[in-house]
Amino acid sequence: MTSFIAQSILGLDIAKAKLDTHFLRVGSADKPIHRLYDNTPAGHEQLVSWLASQQVGSLHVCLEATGTYGRAVALRLHQVGYRVSIVNPLRIKRYGESELLRVKTDKSDAPLIARFCLTQQPAPWTPPANEQQQLQDLVRSLRDLRRLHQQQRCRQQSGPQEQAVATVTSAVLTCLQTQMQSLRQQIEAHILAHESLKTPYDLLLSICGLGKHTAALLLGELGDVSRFPNVRDLVAYVGLAPQLHHSGSSVHGPSPLSKHGHAAIRHALYFPAMSAVRHNPAIKACYERLLAQGKPKMVALVAAMRKLLHQIYGVLRSGQAFDPAHVSARPVRKAADHSGQ
């Protein structure tokens, strides 16, 4: 594949109502241009029109992952044909710290993002399919409602309440339960209506320990796993890779989880892993082996989560349903040939 060489860079700082843009030409002495646009469809069209008038050539656009605020402008710029990168905000923050920046404003963030894009050349972003984006919105809405429901339940169970407060809390819980059930039905109907979602959904449900809710969440958040060249990249993406702390001959610190990953997926795997250590043969054997070695239960459970993620990656990449007999069988190593022939 031909490497991309940017002739122009556009850094975008996204806010709810505004877009701060910082445009610069690579290798030019021209002064960078800062412009402000409304974060609306009309503002996006104004940005596209202005870029067209500047003869930008091969343009690399970079913005932080800010939830839904930056989705529309990223999609519009991608449709025009520009290279768009959506970057973890932590990377931008750490890059700014490496420059010893002492000022943080919307106007200063856009140039920082542009410099990051110029020097780090982040990977391009590919918009998800429409049905994939809809599923992601649905599972995230359900997650938000579950969080609100848990908050209200804790409030209800925290102790005696005034009658008026208790009545309102009960009504809110009933409403949330109704809406959650409606969303669950919509999620299942949406998956069954699209073959591109139904096939991997059935593959995920074949894994011992995974239920419908977790399978839907994984489909909504992971998308196409083929974008991960190997399972180690997926493990790192979720945040289940160990963070080594070794240096020289004297520093040998513990190796906790990095947690620099997708927290929602990591949290969603916790209870399925607890189920898998009882019903999934390969994961059960791994869990019991670690306990027999004296490892704490939480360490063994995290290993079970990681192994469960390996199985998820395996069935989705291979297109084959989960086979407990296959994953439980240890590979037989051939004896070394010492005959000298």
Side-chain angles (χ1 to χ4, degrees), residues 2 15 76 81 113 185 190 194 216 227 237 248 269 307 313 325-326:
T2 305
R76 184 70 185 97
I113 295 172
Q185 294 172 355
H190 181 77
H194 297 88
R227 62 195 177 100
Y237 174 78
L269 291 175
K307 196 166 186 66
Y313 183 82
H326 175 73

Side-chain angles (χ1 to χ4, degrees), residues 218 222-230 234 312-313 315-317:
L218 289 171
L222 279 180
D224 185 6
V225 297
S226 63
R227 62 195 177 100
F228 301 103
N230 53 65
L234 175 59
I312 290 167
Y313 183 82
V315 299
L316 293 179
R317 283 302 300 264

Side-chain angles (χ1 to χ4, degrees), residues 141-172:
S141 295
L142 179 58
R143 187 171 71 243
D144 291 340
L145 289 182
R146 286 166 60 92
R147 187 180 298 115
L148 289 173
H149 185 266
Q150 182 63 30
Q151 291 174 352
Q152 292 299 322
R153 281 188 58 191
C154 291
R155 182 173 299 173
Q156 186 183 56
Q157 298 171 359
S158 62
Q161 296 177 326
E162 293 292 336
Q163 183 60 41
V165 176
T167 301
V168 170
T169 302
S170 179
V172 170

